[in-house]
Amino acid sequence: VLGLFRRPEHVAAEGEDRGGVPFEGDLEGRLVPAPGLLDPPGVAVDIPYEHGIPMCAYFVRAPSPERRGPVLICMGGLDSIKDEMWFMQAHGALQRGISVLMIDGPGQGGTLRRHKVVNRFDTEVPIAHCIDWLEARDDVDPSAIAVVGFSYGAYLAALLSEVRPVRWLALRSPASYPRQGWDGPQQG
């Protein structure tokens, strides 16, 4: 069923009708209920990015008696959106007492559709903004931030370690892309 809602998003050319499936509200709402309806409840957040434009994300705090807890940043592939991370990574982490930040990076989901922020060759840099945002929260243990990526997200998670120390890193079905020729936005 998931593919039925997402397929028009991937096969349409720029400016072409995307099959009548609007991204905002309709598509997101069919994948995951509003973040506040999750168990435990989460919130939609804007991660400060560049030039006053945010990256779209969901933050779900794990129920824990500890004031500051661990967090898993969940990143999907180039054609993934943050909502899918609930099923792929986030729900299991929450069951183990780990809070989660599910992100739409540049070129993904809401960050692309709402804010027109396309992918960039050094996407590990925007992901570092997510770490900055988490480290500023009083309910996050800055020494316990982990990153998991799937497909292109795994590739980016590995590159993140070039610009930030990452204590825990998980790569799930990592894609491999050459860095050559990635000096501008990519089109899928």
Side-chain angles (χ1 to χ4, degrees):
V1 174
L2 176 62
L4 294 176
F5 291 108
R6 292 196 56 235
R7 194 69 191 146
E9 184 73 10
H10 299 294
V11 298
E14 185 64 33
E16 186 179 4
D17 179 18
R18 296 191 179 271
V21 180
F23 176 80
E24 192 167 350
D26 191 11
L27 179 60
E28 286 181 303
R30 290 176 191 250
L31 298 179
V32 173
L37 298 176
L38 296 174
D39 184 21
V43 293
V45 297
D46 286 332
I47 305 295
Y49 179 53
E50 293 180 342
H51 314 293
I53 299 172
M55 288 185 290
C56 300
Y58 295 148
F59 181 75
V60 185
R61 186 169 183 336
S64 170
E66 296 181 31
R67 186 168 97 65
R68 297 172 74 98
V71 177
L72 178 66
I73 299 173
C74 303
M75 302 182 305
L78 190 56
D79 60 348
S80 296
I81 60 175
K82 66 188 174 309
D83 305 70
E84 293 174 300
M85 299 305 102
W86 174 256
F87 304 102
M88 298 171 75
Q89 302 148 348
H91 190 244
L94 285 160
Q95 290 175 324
R96 290 159 181 80
I98 302 168
S99 298
V100 294
L101 179 67
M102 299 170 275
I103 68 167
D104 278 341
Q108 295 175 309
T111 303
L112 173 64
R113 299 293 172 235
R114 289 190 193 104
H115 306 300
K116 310 294 186 234
V117 177
V118 298
N119 189 20
R120 54 189 273 178
F121 77 97
D122 59 348
T123 304
E124 65 273 12
V125 175
I127 296 164
H129 287 274
C130 296
I131 294 174
D132 295 339
W133 184 83
L134 287 169
E135 288 176 341
R137 294 181 59 96
D138 63 2
D139 58 352
V140 171
D141 178 351
S143 69
I145 296 173
V147 179
V148 62
F150 173 76
S151 187
Y152 182 68
Y155 172 74
L156 298 175
L159 294 177
L160 174 66
S161 64
E162 290 181 17
V163 296
R164 290 303 267 287
V166 180
R167 187 170 179 186
W168 296 291
L169 183 65
L171 310 179
R172 184 171 170 234
S173 303
S176 59
Y177 295 93
R179 287 300 279 247
Q180 300 82 12
W182 277 66
D183 54 354
Q186 301 298 302
Q187 301 209 12

